Amino acid sequence: MSGQTMNFTKADYEAAIAVLGRSEPGKPVGIVNLTDEQVMVLDGVQAFQPTPLPWLDAQGDVDKELVGKVALRALLGQGYVVPASRGEGQEVGIDAIPELTGTLVLRRTAQAIVSAERVTTLGRHWVFCYVHEGYGILEEEVATSGHHTFSVYPEAYLGERLEQYLDPTSAAIMAGKSRTFTVPEFEAAAPNLPELSEALTVTVLSVAKAGVDTLRNVTVYSGPRGVFTVQGDLRDGVADRLVLTEVGAAVVRDLPGKLLAA
């Protein structure tokens, strides 16, 4: 996982720890809701974003600096940021409320990121889970409309939380046998496999770790025939085969943890 170097103060880190400290067992606790353009201006207009900005991208070639200024006005109106003096003779800057500062720090300092990109007939939807070992998880849910919903919860709740996302209709009932394909075999067979073609949701679950260039991922199909995973079978470090497996609820719940541990 690659990233950029950002400088944070002691107060920034304290705000981040305070945000994670709001988590409660067994449920996500909401922190803040932002739009694409608000995320962009807060994180830096030219900064690489770790998550999609679907609404902003759909606008085509826009003046991001201007869009950022409009977003900043909205943030001021919401009370998320406030004018702050930088000293005599210096320009007036802005300071974000601690909840917002802490959230921004957590997005950039995770040891690992678990992401889920789900495709349905309604479009795409994303969830990014920023793992802070020993402290908890910041979740960023991104809708196609360009709204980013941030929440926190304990690390132990990750599997249960993403189970709801991977299998929204609770279709995972029982485990079945695995079938192994070469990549060409799978590409030829997939359109004729009803467990895949009839799926209501298709989700790619991935894990990126700080300092590690490779991604681990699994594709999850959920529908009327159950829940099925497709995952690479590593041979000499190369996924030259794909394994299709019907899985039960416990396996679905354990998927994020197993990817993190791999």
Side-chain angles (χ1 to χ4, degrees):
M1 182 176 68
S2 62
Q4 63 189 74
T5 301
M6 304 185 77
N7 296 318
F8 299 115
T9 67
K10 180 181 177 182
D12 294 335
Y13 285 112
E14 290 174 346
I17 292 172
V19 167
L20 289 176
R22 293 175 58 176
S23 66
E24 299 179 13
K27 67 176 183 179
V29 175
I31 300 299
V32 67
N33 298 312
L34 300 171
T35 62
D36 281 354
E37 59 272 29
Q38 289 174 333
V39 169
M40 177 191 70
V41 73
L42 287 167
D43 212 27
V45 173
Q46 302 304 323
F48 168 78
Q49 286 299 321
T51 64
L53 302 175
W55 180 87
L56 195 57
D57 290 341
Q59 307 312 306
D61 188 16
V62 298
D63 185 340
K64 290 186 176 181
E65 294 289 346
L66 178 58
V67 171
K69 289 178 181 178
V70 175
L72 191 57
R73 281 173 52 84
L75 289 165
L76 284 163
Q78 292 172 287
Y80 285 161
V81 300
V82 295
S85 174
R86 298 304 187 213
E88 186 176 351
Q90 298 185 33
E91 292 184 3
V92 174
I94 59 167
D95 283 340
I97 60 173
E99 292 87 350
L100 193 49
T101 300
T103 296
L104 295 173
V105 173
L106 293 172
R107 283 179 95 236
R108 292 295 186 179
T109 57
Q111 287 83 33
I113 301 176
V114 180
S115 64
E117 180 178 1
R118 186 173 68 187
V119 179
T120 69
T121 56
L122 299 177
R124 296 180 184 274
H125 203 90
W126 301 265
V127 170
F128 294 83
C129 304
Y130 304 92
V131 181
H132 293 267
E133 298 174 2
Y135 292 94
I137 290 174
L138 171 76
E139 179 186 283
E140 179 179 359
E141 186 172 4
V142 185
T144 307
S145 60
H147 290 86
H148 301 242
T149 303
F150 293 91
S151 57
V152 293
Y153 44 81
E155 294 174 73
Y157 184 59
L158 177 63
E160 185 178 348
R161 172 65 170 168
L162 288 185
E163 179 188 10
Q164 303 167 26
Y165 191 78
L166 296 169
D167 183 21
T169 62
S170 299
I173 298 175
M174 60 185 297
K177 293 183 178 180
S178 297
R179 286 174 283 172
T180 301
F181 303 82
T182 64
V183 174
E185 286 173 346
F186 182 80
E187 291 176 345
N192 301 313
L193 295 174
E195 57 266 56
L196 304 187
S197 61
E198 296 176 11
L200 301 177
T201 67
V202 181
T203 307
V204 177
L205 182 69
S206 304
V207 169
K209 293 184 178 180
V212 178
D213 293 331
T214 57
L215 288 174
R216 294 299 302 273
N217 61 69
V218 57
T219 303
V220 181
Y221 295 79
S222 177
R225 294 179 179 265
V227 175
F228 298 81
T229 62
V230 175
Q231 193 166 17
D233 179 20
L234 292 177
R235 295 170 184 262
D236 297 324
V238 178
D240 61 348
R241 294 176 181 272
L242 297 173
V243 181
L244 171 64
T245 309
E246 183 177 9
V247 296
V251 174
V252 175
R253 195 160 47 247
D254 289 344
L255 281 173
K258 285 189 174 182
L259 284 179
L260 276 170

